[in-house]
């Protein structure tokens, strides 16, 4: 057992050093982007935000979409039904908005998720004057320069889309909310200056001409995931998806253990359907990390009971944990520089992003295990079955 642990720990240390180097490169990329002048490209833009039900901070989140320093845009807030509990909030936000804010009623989905159906309905109703489509989520609260910085790089026709990511800020430091924030933080550093970026539905901009050229409305007709489907189609065109850390979107989170498991397992189950190779690689990576730690703790315990020296085992056990914590610290540095107005709350909760990542792979492993068992999932009260990337069944409305 000791020799097996030595091999596993050595591999984990090597992987940890590689990921640490990637983290350093990511931070350098963030700093380069923050110094980049976005330019003056400001085409007519439609900001589309699908909504469903009530959630903490909804009115403030939606109001932030109406306050961008971008003069040439309109907001489209989309619901499946006028009877949605959030309807009154949407009407209030639209009435008080300084830019034109429209409310779109999409109707019930049939062979796609409600979110995708909402997006399709909004795009279908857009006047031809809109040149750029921007997709946002109702749980994000972007800053005033967010829209201009997200859209401006599209002046380069080689770019297929620009995208960013959310950064969860816990409303309370309870364990499930802290775990959710730490779980999501790892996703932020998956994006960078490389060619493997993917679109995030809560913050993506694309030229309408390319969107229509790819036939996205037809692709979305049977899709569950708006962003994975969009990513796949952009990849087929050979164009770049550019990650913009300067557009990181704060999302104020609060959940319980049931909500934590539902959210995290849903993301992994979607990945299994749309990105099976990524899913398999990540599953193996997290499994080996967890196996190494469990084997190391067990071995150190046995050596201690037998009054044998356990220093080398302890050292090999601690190093992967230390490397994971350092990567977490790099994320915090990068995010506080990208979101200077939120530096104080992020730093006050920095332990969440630095210490918890050392054990987050165990949560990921639980998600991966659950995702193997089936293709059904729930999103805001609706149950779906993901038959394939281009086939979705609504199980219960």
């Amino acid at each position: 057992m000791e020799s097996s642990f030595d091999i596993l720990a050595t591999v984990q240390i090597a992987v940890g050093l590689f990921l640490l180097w990637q983290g350093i490169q990511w931070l350098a990329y963030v700093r380069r982007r923050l110094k980049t002048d976005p330019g003056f490209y400001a085409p007519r833009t439609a900001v589309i935000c699908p909504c469903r039900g009530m959630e903490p901070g909804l009115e403030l989140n939606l109001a932030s979409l109406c306050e961008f320093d971008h003069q040439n845009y309109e907001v489209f807030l989309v619901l499946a039904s006028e009877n949605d509990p959030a309807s009154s909030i949407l009407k209030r936000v639209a009435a008080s908005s300084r830019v034109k804010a429209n409310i779109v009623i999409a109707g019930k989905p049939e062979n796609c998720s409600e979110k995708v159906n909402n997006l399709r309905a909004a795009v279908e109703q857009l006047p031809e004057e809109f040149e750029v489509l921007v997709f946002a989520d109702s749980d994000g609260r972007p800053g005033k320069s967010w829209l201009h910085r997200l859209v401006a790089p599209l002046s380069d026709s080689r770019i297929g889309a620009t995208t960013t990511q959310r950064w969860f800020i816990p409303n309370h430091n309870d364990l499930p909310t802290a775990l959710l924030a730490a779980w999501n933080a790892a996703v932020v550093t998956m994006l960078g200056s490389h060619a493997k970026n993917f679109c995030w539905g809560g913050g993506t901009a694309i030229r309408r001409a390319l969107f229509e050229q790819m036939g996205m409305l037809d692709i979305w007709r049977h899709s569950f995931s708006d962003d994975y489907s969009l990513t796949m189609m952009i990849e087929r065109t050979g164009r770049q998806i550019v990650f913009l850390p300067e557009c990181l979107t704060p999302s104020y989170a609060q959940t319980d253990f049931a909500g934590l498991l539902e959210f995290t397992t849903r993301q992994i189950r979607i990945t299994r359907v749309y990105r099976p190779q990524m899913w398999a690689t990540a599953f193996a990576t997290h499994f080996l990390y967890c196996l190494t730690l469990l084997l190391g703790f067990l071995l150190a315990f046995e050596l201690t009971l037998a009054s044998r020296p356990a220093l080398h085992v302890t050292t090999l056990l601690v190093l992967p944990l230390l490397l994971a914590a350092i990567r977490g610290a790099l994320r915090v540095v990068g995010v506080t520089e990208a979101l200077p107005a939120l530096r104080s709350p992020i730093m006050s909760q920095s332990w969440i992003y630095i210490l918890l990542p050392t054990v987050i792979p165990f949560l990921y492993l639980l998600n991966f295990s659950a995702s193997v068992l089936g293709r059904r999932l729930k999103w805001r009260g609706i149950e779906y079955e993901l038959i394939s990337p281009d086939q979705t069944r609504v199980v219960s409305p």
Side-chain angles (χ1 to χ4, degrees), residues 127-373:
E128 292 184 4
E129 66 194 65
F130 290 98
E131 300 175 54
V132 169
L133 309 177
V134 170
F135 305 117
D137 278 351
S138 60
D139 63 348
R141 199 174 300 173
K144 293 183 183 298
S145 64
W146 184 86
L147 183 59
H148 179 60
R149 287 184 170 273
L150 195 66
V151 170
L154 293 179
S155 60
D156 184 346
S157 61
R158 294 170 298 179
I159 294 175
T162 58
T163 194
T164 186
Q165 259 296 331
R166 69 161 63 87
W167 183 265
F168 277 130
I169 300 176
N171 284 328
H172 302 289
N173 286 338
D174 56 276
L175 184 57
T177 304
L179 288 171
L180 176 64
W183 185 96
N184 184 79
V187 180
V188 175
T189 41
M190 291 176 65
L191 301 167
S193 59
H194 49 74
K196 296 181 180 179
N197 291 326
F198 48 87
C199 295
W200 171 55
T204 287
I206 184 171
R207 287 183 300 278
R208 187 178 187 177
L210 177 60
F211 183 90
E212 293 177 347
Q213 177 187 326
M214 296 188 303
M216 279 309 304
L217 288 180
D218 288 333
I219 297 297
W220 273 353
R221 193 178 298 278
H222 301 286
S223 177
F224 178 87
S225 175
D226 55 315
D227 40 24
Y228 270 134
S229 296
L230 186 59
T231 299
M232 290 167 61
M233 295 306 295
I234 293 173
E235 287 175 345
R236 291 179 187 178
T237 70
R239 288 179 169 86
Q240 288 179 278
I241 297 173
V242 178
F243 169 56
L244 303 178
E246 62 268 37
C247 296
L248 281 174
T249 306
S251 180
Y252 294 86
Q254 184 174 341
T255 190
D256 53 19
F257 279 108
L260 168 69
L261 291 176
E262 181 181 319
F263 176 86
T264 55
T265 301
R266 181 172 67 245
Q267 306 309 312
I268 299 302
R269 189 162 282 157
I270 294 170
T271 302
R272 181 182 171 225
V273 173
Y274 284 86
R275 280 286 198 269
Q277 186 174 356
M278 178 192 292
W279 179 91
T281 301
F283 193 174
T285 301
H286 289 90
F287 174 77
L288 289 175
Y289 177 92
C290 295
L291 177 63
T292 303
L293 291 190
L294 291 174
L295 192 60
F297 278 116
L298 178 61
L299 185 58
F301 181 70
E302 287 184 352
L303 290 174
T304 301
L305 287 181
S307 299
R308 293 172 55 195
L311 180 60
H312 82 285
V313 172
T314 305
T315 302
L316 291 176
L317 183 61
V318 167
L319 280 175
L321 298 172
L322 179 62
L323 291 170
I326 294 173
R327 292 199 304 275
L330 290 175
R331 288 189 198 108
V332 171
V333 171
V335 171
T336 54
E337 291 182 10
L339 299 172
L342 298 175
R343 178 181 176 83
S344 179
I346 293 173
M347 289 303 297
S348 68
Q349 298 174 318
S350 59
W351 63 273
I352 292 173
Y353 312 109
I354 296 174
L355 298 181
L356 288 185
T358 61
V359 296
I360 283 298
F362 288 94
L363 175 56
Y364 268 102
L365 191 58
L366 181 62
N367 302 144
F368 282 115
S369 301
S371 71
V372 173
L373 300 178

Side-chain angles (χ1 to χ4, degrees), residues 20-84:
L20 178 59
W21 172 241
Q22 285 192 326
I24 294 170
Q25 290 181 311
W26 177 83
L27 180 58
Y29 175 70
V30 170
R31 289 173 169 171
R32 287 198 306 273
R33 286 295 323 172
L34 292 176
K35 294 177 182 177
T36 302
D37 185 346
F40 300 100
Y41 183 62
R44 187 72 171 149
T45 301
V47 176
I48 303 172
C49 180
C51 305
R52 177 179 170 84
M54 301 295 290
E55 55 189 306
L58 177 62
E59 187 162 356
L60 289 174
N61 296 342
L62 298 181
S64 70
L65 303 179
C66 304
E67 298 173 352
F68 294 129
D69 295 332
H70 186 96
Q71 302 302 318
N72 201 16
Y73 82 102
E74 288 184 25
V75 178
F76 295 83
L77 306 174
V78 197
L79 290 171
S81 168
E82 291 183 0
N83 298 322
D84 191 288

